[in-house]
Tab-separated table of all heavy atoms in Angstrom:
chain	number	residue	atom	x	y	z
F	364	GLU	N	-33.033	-44.442	23.612
F	364	GLU	CA	-33.901	-44.970	24.676
F	364	GLU	C	-34.367	-43.855	25.607
F	364	GLU	O	-34.111	-43.891	26.817
F	364	GLU	CB	-33.184	-46.075	25.448
F	364	GLU	CG	-32.808	-47.240	24.545
F	364	GLU	CD	-32.380	-48.479	25.320
F	364	GLU	OE1	-32.699	-48.580	26.507
F	364	GLU	OE2	-31.738	-49.344	24.714
F	365	PRO	N	-35.070	-42.860	25.052
F	365	PRO	CA	-35.380	-41.655	25.835
F	365	PRO	C	-36.337	-41.893	26.995
F	365	PRO	O	-36.459	-41.043	27.868
F	365	PRO	CB	-36.009	-40.723	24.797
F	365	PRO	CG	-36.560	-41.635	23.757
F	365	PRO	CD	-35.609	-42.784	23.686
F	366	THR	N	-37.018	-43.043	27.020
F	366	THR	CA	-37.990	-43.278	28.096
F	366	THR	C	-37.561	-44.383	29.054
F	366	THR	O	-38.262	-44.674	30.015
F	366	THR	CB	-39.366	-43.656	27.503
F	366	THR	OG1	-39.204	-44.820	26.671
F	366	THR	CG2	-39.932	-42.527	26.675
F	367	SER	N	-36.405	-45.002	28.824
F	367	SER	CA	-36.082	-46.205	29.604
F	367	SER	C	-35.738	-45.903	31.053
F	367	SER	O	-35.822	-46.778	31.906
F	367	SER	CB	-34.948	-46.985	28.947
F	367	SER	OG	-33.763	-46.246	28.984
F	368	ALA	N	-35.360	-44.655	31.359
F	368	ALA	CA	-35.029	-44.322	32.753
F	368	ALA	C	-36.227	-43.733	33.501
F	368	ALA	O	-36.097	-43.315	34.642
F	368	ALA	CB	-33.860	-43.333	32.781
F	369	LEU	N	-37.392	-43.717	32.848
F	369	LEU	CA	-38.550	-43.036	33.427
F	369	LEU	C	-39.514	-44.003	34.092
F	369	LEU	O	-39.662	-45.153	33.679
F	369	LEU	CB	-39.314	-42.273	32.330
F	369	LEU	CG	-38.531	-41.224	31.540
F	369	LEU	CD1	-39.430	-40.598	30.489
F	369	LEU	CD2	-37.972	-40.155	32.470
F	370	ASP	N	-40.220	-43.496	35.111
F	370	ASP	CA	-41.330	-44.260	35.676
F	370	ASP	C	-42.398	-44.430	34.604
F	370	ASP	O	-42.621	-43.515	33.793
F	370	ASP	CB	-41.938	-43.507	36.870
F	370	ASP	CG	-40.969	-43.443	38.047
F	370	ASP	OD1	-40.101	-44.337	38.130
F	370	ASP	OD2	-41.066	-42.503	38.854
F	371	PRO	N	-43.087	-45.576	34.603
F	371	PRO	CA	-44.051	-45.863	33.527
F	371	PRO	C	-45.069	-44.757	33.283
F	371	PRO	O	-45.399	-44.456	32.132
F	371	PRO	CB	-44.735	-47.151	34.006
F	371	PRO	CG	-43.708	-47.825	34.856
F	371	PRO	CD	-42.933	-46.725	35.527
F	372	GLU	N	-45.549	-44.111	34.367
F	372	GLU	CA	-46.614	-43.116	34.149
F	372	GLU	C	-46.089	-41.830	33.517
F	372	GLU	O	-46.873	-40.973	33.092
F	372	GLU	CB	-47.366	-42.804	35.458
F	372	GLU	CG	-46.573	-42.027	36.491
F	372	GLU	CD	-45.812	-42.930	37.461
F	372	GLU	OE1	-45.559	-44.105	37.126
F	372	GLU	OE2	-45.468	-42.442	38.544
F	373	LEU	N	-44.761	-41.677	33.437
F	373	LEU	CA	-44.185	-40.464	32.845
F	373	LEU	C	-43.803	-40.656	31.374
F	373	LEU	O	-43.469	-39.708	30.682
F	373	LEU	CB	-42.932	-40.041	33.638
F	373	LEU	CG	-43.151	-39.794	35.131
F	373	LEU	CD1	-41.818	-39.508	35.816
F	373	LEU	CD2	-44.119	-38.642	35.352
F	374	VAL	N	-43.855	-41.904	30.927
F	374	VAL	CA	-43.391	-42.221	29.566
F	374	VAL	C	-44.279	-41.562	28.508
F	374	VAL	O	-43.804	-41.011	27.517
F	374	VAL	CB	-43.357	-43.762	29.373
F	374	VAL	CG1	-43.187	-44.123	27.897
F	374	VAL	CG2	-42.234	-44.367	30.202
F	375	GLY	N	-45.591	-41.589	28.751
F	375	GLY	CA	-46.546	-41.094	27.756
F	375	GLY	C	-46.308	-39.653	27.347
F	375	GLY	O	-46.401	-39.313	26.164
F	376	ASP	N	-45.986	-38.788	28.329
F	376	ASP	CA	-45.783	-37.363	28.021
F	376	ASP	C	-44.604	-37.170	27.070
F	376	ASP	O	-44.644	-36.332	26.162
F	376	ASP	CB	-45.518	-36.569	29.312
F	376	ASP	CG	-46.755	-36.499	30.206
F	376	ASP	OD1	-47.863	-36.677	29.680
F	376	ASP	OD2	-46.590	-36.267	31.416
F	377	VAL	N	-43.539	-37.939	27.305
F	377	VAL	CA	-42.358	-37.826	26.448
F	377	VAL	C	-42.668	-38.346	25.042
F	377	VAL	O	-42.321	-37.725	24.033
F	377	VAL	CB	-41.159	-38.589	27.068
F	377	VAL	CG1	-39.974	-38.622	26.093
F	377	VAL	CG2	-40.747	-37.928	28.381
F	378	LEU	N	-43.358	-39.485	24.971
F	378	LEU	CA	-43.711	-40.036	23.653
F	378	LEU	C	-44.652	-39.102	22.896
F	378	LEU	O	-44.574	-38.999	21.671
F	378	LEU	CB	-44.337	-41.429	23.810
F	378	LEU	CG	-43.396	-42.518	24.335
F	378	LEU	CD1	-44.136	-43.845	24.465
F	378	LEU	CD2	-42.169	-42.690	23.452
F	379	ASP	N	-45.532	-38.411	23.629
F	379	ASP	CA	-46.440	-37.458	22.965
F	379	ASP	C	-45.654	-36.324	22.301
F	379	ASP	O	-45.984	-35.886	21.192
F	379	ASP	CB	-47.438	-36.866	23.973
F	379	ASP	CG	-48.543	-37.856	24.330
F	379	ASP	OD1	-48.697	-38.851	23.602
F	379	ASP	OD2	-49.235	-37.637	25.342
F	380	VAL	N	-44.622	-35.845	22.997
F	380	VAL	CA	-43.773	-34.796	22.413
F	380	VAL	C	-43.100	-35.324	21.141
F	380	VAL	O	-43.036	-34.635	20.119
F	380	VAL	CB	-42.710	-34.324	23.431
F	380	VAL	CG1	-41.668	-33.436	22.759
F	380	VAL	CG2	-43.379	-33.555	24.580
F	381	MET	N	-42.623	-36.560	21.199
F	381	MET	CA	-41.953	-37.149	20.031
F	381	MET	C	-42.933	-37.361	18.877
F	381	MET	O	-42.594	-37.159	17.717
F	381	MET	CB	-41.278	-38.460	20.434
F	381	MET	CG	-40.106	-38.231	21.396
F	381	MET	SD	-39.504	-39.736	22.180
F	381	MET	CE	-38.846	-40.628	20.755
F	382	ARG	N	-44.171	-37.735	19.232
F	382	ARG	CA	-45.211	-37.856	18.190
F	382	ARG	C	-45.413	-36.524	17.473
F	382	ARG	O	-45.534	-36.461	16.256
F	382	ARG	CB	-46.544	-38.267	18.834
F	382	ARG	CG	-46.745	-39.734	18.929
F	382	ARG	CD	-48.188	-40.092	19.304
F	382	ARG	NE	-48.179	-41.470	19.719
F	382	ARG	CZ	-48.028	-41.883	20.979
F	382	ARG	NH1	-47.897	-41.005	21.947
F	382	ARG	NH2	-48.001	-43.158	21.265
F	383	GLY	N	-45.476	-35.456	18.283
F	383	GLY	CA	-45.654	-34.115	17.717
F	383	GLY	C	-44.525	-33.745	16.771
F	383	GLY	O	-44.758	-33.171	15.699
F	384	LEU	N	-43.304	-34.088	17.141
F	384	LEU	CA	-42.147	-33.823	16.269
F	384	LEU	C	-42.286	-34.586	14.962
F	384	LEU	O	-41.984	-34.060	13.885
F	384	LEU	CB	-40.849	-34.252	16.962
F	384	LEU	CG	-40.357	-33.435	18.137
F	384	LEU	CD1	-39.063	-34.028	18.683
F	384	LEU	CD2	-40.119	-31.990	17.727
F	385	ALA	N	-42.725	-35.842	15.063
F	385	ALA	CA	-42.899	-36.662	13.860
F	385	ALA	C	-43.939	-36.021	12.942
F	385	ALA	O	-43.748	-35.938	11.718
F	385	ALA	CB	-43.329	-38.079	14.248
F	386	GLU	N	-45.017	-35.538	13.533
F	386	GLU	CA	-46.080	-34.899	12.730
F	386	GLU	C	-45.571	-33.626	12.055
F	386	GLU	O	-46.021	-33.263	10.968
F	386	GLU	CB	-47.293	-34.585	13.616
F	386	GLU	CG	-48.120	-35.825	13.952
F	386	GLU	CD	-49.026	-35.622	15.159
F	386	GLU	OE1	-49.206	-34.455	15.593
F	386	GLU	OE2	-49.546	-36.638	15.673
F	387	ASP	N	-44.615	-32.960	12.712
F	387	ASP	CA	-44.044	-31.733	12.136
F	387	ASP	C	-42.994	-32.033	11.059
F	387	ASP	O	-42.432	-31.104	10.470
F	387	ASP	CB	-43.389	-30.876	13.231
F	387	ASP	CG	-44.422	-30.284	14.179
F	387	ASP	OD1	-45.619	-30.310	13.843
F	387	ASP	OD2	-44.036	-29.809	15.265
F	388	GLY	N	-42.690	-33.316	10.850
F	388	GLY	CA	-41.771	-33.678	9.776
F	388	GLY	C	-40.306	-33.754	10.170
F	388	GLY	O	-39.416	-33.724	9.314
F	389	MET	N	-40.013	-33.859	11.476
F	389	MET	CA	-38.625	-33.988	11.920
F	389	MET	C	-38.104	-35.393	11.586
F	389	MET	O	-38.783	-36.379	11.842
F	389	MET	CB	-38.545	-33.745	13.432
F	389	MET	CG	-37.176	-34.005	14.048
F	389	MET	SD	-35.859	-32.910	13.435
F	389	MET	CE	-36.249	-31.379	14.314
F	390	THR	N	-36.921	-35.452	10.995
F	390	THR	CA	-36.274	-36.747	10.779
F	390	THR	C	-35.755	-37.250	12.122
F	390	THR	O	-35.024	-36.539	12.814
F	390	THR	CB	-35.094	-36.616	9.794
F	390	THR	OG1	-35.532	-35.900	8.636
F	390	THR	CG2	-34.584	-37.984	9.370
F	391	MET	N	-36.141	-38.471	12.484
F	391	MET	CA	-35.814	-38.986	13.807
F	391	MET	C	-35.323	-40.422	13.721
F	391	MET	O	-35.900	-41.240	13.000
F	391	MET	CB	-37.059	-38.949	14.718
F	391	MET	CG	-37.564	-37.552	15.000
F	391	MET	SD	-39.317	-37.476	15.494
F	391	MET	CE	-39.343	-38.439	16.964
F	392	ILE	N	-34.251	-40.708	14.455
F	392	ILE	CA	-33.826	-42.095	14.645
F	392	ILE	C	-33.976	-42.380	16.133
F	392	ILE	O	-33.411	-41.672	16.973
F	392	ILE	CB	-32.374	-42.325	14.200
F	392	ILE	CG1	-32.211	-41.939	12.730
F	392	ILE	CG2	-31.978	-43.795	14.408
F	392	ILE	CD1	-30.799	-42.140	12.195
Side-chain angles (χ1 to χ4, degrees):
E364 300 193 19
T366 57
S367 66
L369 302 179
D370 292 335
E372 70 269 21
L373 303 175
V374 167
D376 292 338
V377 173
L378 293 179
D379 284 345
V380 169
M381 293 167 66
R382 270 192 195 92
L384 289 180
E386 284 161 13
D387 291 346
M389 173 63 76
T390 311
M391 296 158 61
I392 302 180

